[in-house]
Amino acid sequence: MARAATTSDAFNAIAEPQRREILLLLRGGERPVNDLARDLGMTQPQASKHLRVLREVGLVRVRGAGKQRLYDLDASGLRPVHEWVGGFERFWSGSFDRLDEYVQELKQARQEEGPDDGDEQ
């Protein structure tokens, strides 16, 4: 089966680590492509290609500000990813609940043992 194009959806777009880094940087607010490229240690054309992919899948918005184009995060595009990951929440919640029960049992067992003063011979 052929792999879907990178620009087809948010899952494919965020599969690329540098695109995830761009999204992390944009959480702080609008940024011009040159700033993003500098912070990521890549060229402006490389950053622009990543931003184009993110824009096409709805994860990034762009607006003109004079001669600059400012990019901003559109987190609503991550909704499908959030919903998919949310399907695993029950698994993790159950695991954490079991861990909490185990910790409580350990605490109870220690309290029942009483203080250990180290004087046993």
Side-chain angles (χ1 to χ4, degrees):
M1 176 172 11
R3 185 176 163 196
T6 304
T7 58
S8 66
D9 64 26
F11 291 94
N12 284 323
I14 65 171
E16 210 292 320
Q18 290 179 315
R19 290 191 201 116
R20 291 193 305 268
E21 288 296 319
I22 289 171
L23 295 176
L24 291 174
L25 290 171
L26 291 176
R27 284 190 312 186
E30 287 184 325
R31 305 273 302 269
V33 66
N34 288 333
D35 287 2
L36 293 168
R38 181 193 65 234
D39 290 351
L40 294 167
M42 64 177 63
T43 66
Q44 183 272 329
Q46 290 171 321
S48 291
K49 286 180 182 180
H50 287 304
L51 287 163
R52 179 180 44 79
V53 170
L54 293 169
R55 190 179 68 246
E56 287 175 359
V57 300
L59 297 176
V60 168
R61 294 181 295 258
V62 62
R63 73 175 181 88
K67 293 181 181 181
Q68 284 190 326
R69 295 180 64 157
L70 297 176
Y71 292 86
D72 195 21
L73 176 65
D74 185 354
S76 66
L78 289 169
R79 183 170 303 282
V81 176
H82 174 73
E83 289 171 355
W84 184 80
V85 170
F88 296 94
E89 185 175 353
R90 186 179 75 207
F91 168 76
W92 290 110
S93 294
S95 296
F96 289 130
D97 290 345
R98 288 189 300 278
L99 178 61
D100 186 51
E101 289 172 14
Y102 178 70
V103 169
Q104 294 305 321
E105 289 171 11
L106 287 177
K107 285 181 181 179
Q108 183 66 33
R110 283 188 178 165
Q111 288 175 352
E112 290 172 1
E113 289 175 4
D116 182 18
D117 57 19
D119 290 339
E120 294 180 27
Q121 295 185 2

